[in-house]
Amino acid sequence: MSKRWLTGIDLGGTKTEVILLDENHQEHFRHRVPTPAGDYQATLATIKSLIERAEQHASQRGLPVGIGIPGTVSGVTGRIKNANSTWLNGKPMADDLRQLLGRPVALTNDANCLALSEATDGAGQNAGVVFAAILGTGCGAGISVDRRLLTGPNGVAGEWGHNPLPWTPQGELDDRPCFCGRRGCNETFLSGTGFSLTHRLSWGGGASAQEIVAGARNGDRECRLTLDLYIEHLAKGLAAVINLLDPDIIVLGGGMSNVRELYQALPERLPQYVFGGECSTQVRPAIHGDSSGVRGAAWLAAQETNPA
């Protein structure tokens, strides 16, 4: 009996990755190439090429395909919206890929893929409700309930990154314009980019997130204060999620999820903002790390071809 193969694509702003999984969760092939930023047709061609490489490895064609994108498919128009890779916005990407690949294609937000991956066989595999947040160049999140995605009629369930950071003075919100056209979004505080902005607004300069974390660990006072302020911002943002959704677990992905100090400090910070002053919610890093999104895309393909 031949293997049942699944292919997933993680389309990012700077890289695009493919994975080939079998039904037993085993990875057999993974490959990453630069994303042709700003070029929609080249983006489609890159996805097609990666799928063909995975199928060549599997010696089988027509495999189910799931794709995580940095945006959302509009339920009204069927076109992409809310993508920070702005060259995708307004494009009928799902239809174009179905035609290009000659098969059904499942598309969803990349943070949804993170949630599905970690709920299937990651940090949240024993949890009913998983809230998975990406703290990377941008900031988004997805929700899985009993290993099924919660997307909502507008396709924006979990779009936590584009709410204003709660319990924050208006003046501080106004200092942080967001690509979405508003100011003070969680993304402008909690992404790696937002972390760097916090440092610049406080102390000047243009230090990267990695440089600030390294400085904090090496005793630099300004970097230490910036990291502490980031943890405070993150506690506010996550407490608002807990007050609304009260998930069983919060899983963090993206570059900032690798900062171990977050997991040491958040258990003490969260109860200050969670209603009732108590918080037993686990906050853990994604088990599959940078591979979680592409794995989730493959599991999306499995769900779309075998719906419950």
Side-chain angles (χ1 to χ4, degrees):
M1 185 175 180
S2 61
K3 284 184 181 292
R4 179 167 173 263
W5 299 104
L6 301 168
T7 50
I9 291 280
D10 181 18
L11 173 62
T14 59
K15 57 85 181 174
T16 302
E17 186 172 22
V18 67
I19 197 169
L20 178 69
L21 296 180
D22 66 28
E23 57 194 349
N24 297 317
H25 304 206
Q26 295 301 307
E27 176 185 326
H28 293 263
F29 176 77
R30 181 151 53 104
H31 186 65
R32 176 183 294 189
V33 297
T35 297
D39 190 331
Y40 177 67
Q41 292 300 325
T43 298
L44 298 181
T46 295
I47 292 171
K48 182 175 186 289
S49 174
L50 288 172
I51 292 295
E52 289 173 345
R53 291 191 64 163
E55 290 182 331
Q56 184 178 17
H57 190 89
S59 299
Q60 187 175 335
R61 295 191 178 278
L63 300 179
V65 177
I67 301 177
I69 63 171
T72 302
V73 180
S74 168
V76 176
T77 67
R79 294 173 179 263
I80 304 302
K81 64 177 183 178
N82 300 338
N84 54 15
S85 297
T86 54
W87 70 93
L88 304 178
N89 286 325
K91 303 296 187 182
M93 191 173 185
D95 289 339
D96 287 344
L97 284 169
R98 288 184 190 109
Q99 183 174 355
L100 186 65
L101 297 173
R103 76 199 76 167
V105 176
L107 258 69
T108 194
N109 181 262
D110 51 6
N112 290 344
C113 290
L114 171 66
L116 186 56
S117 171
E118 292 297 318
T120 299
D121 61 357
Q125 63 181 320
N126 297 315
V129 179
V130 177
F131 182 85
I134 296 176
L135 308 176
T137 305
C139 177
I143 302 167
S144 170
V145 180
D146 295 331
R147 299 187 183 183
R148 307 291 298 187
L149 288 177
L150 177 67
T151 55
N154 300 300
V156 296
E159 280 294 355
W160 162 75
H162 295 284
N163 292 315
L165 186 72
W167 303 292
T168 302
Q170 188 63 46
E172 293 183 30
L173 299 178
D174 289 341
D175 284 340
R176 297 174 187 251
C178 185
F179 85 92
C180 74
R182 296 182 174 85
R183 290 178 175 269
C185 291
N186 280 326
E187 178 164 310
T188 67
F189 287 87
L190 304 182
S191 64
T193 309
F195 178 46
S196 297
L197 178 58
T198 296
H199 192 75
R200 181 168 62 81
L201 290 173
S202 298
W203 311 106
S208 69
Q210 295 89 340
E211 289 168 341
I212 298 164
V213 171
R217 291 172 178 169
N218 290 326
D220 184 288
R221 175 179 173 274
E222 293 177 355
C223 291
R224 178 65 252 180
L225 290 172
T226 298
L227 180 57
D228 188 69
L229 185 55
Y230 178 84
I231 293 169
E232 187 72 7
H233 290 157
L234 184 58
K236 290 178 179 181
L238 294 180
V241 171
I242 295 167
N243 286 343
L244 180 65
L245 184 64
D246 205 4
D248 294 296
I249 189 169
I250 294 172
V251 180
L252 302 182
M256 293 302 295
S257 72
N258 297 318
V259 180
R260 62 180 180 272
E261 288 85 350
L262 304 185
Y263 308 99
Q264 299 162 4
L266 283 171
E268 295 182 1
R269 300 289 183 97
L270 284 170
Q272 299 174 33
Y273 297 104
V274 171
F275 183 58
E278 299 174 350
C279 182
S280 59
T281 308
Q282 295 183 67
V283 182
R284 296 179 58 191
I287 282 181
H288 296 298
D290 290 344
S291 298
S292 210
V294 73
R295 288 177 68 90
W299 294 126
L300 177 69
Q303 289 193 355
E304 292 295 317
T305 53
N306 291 281

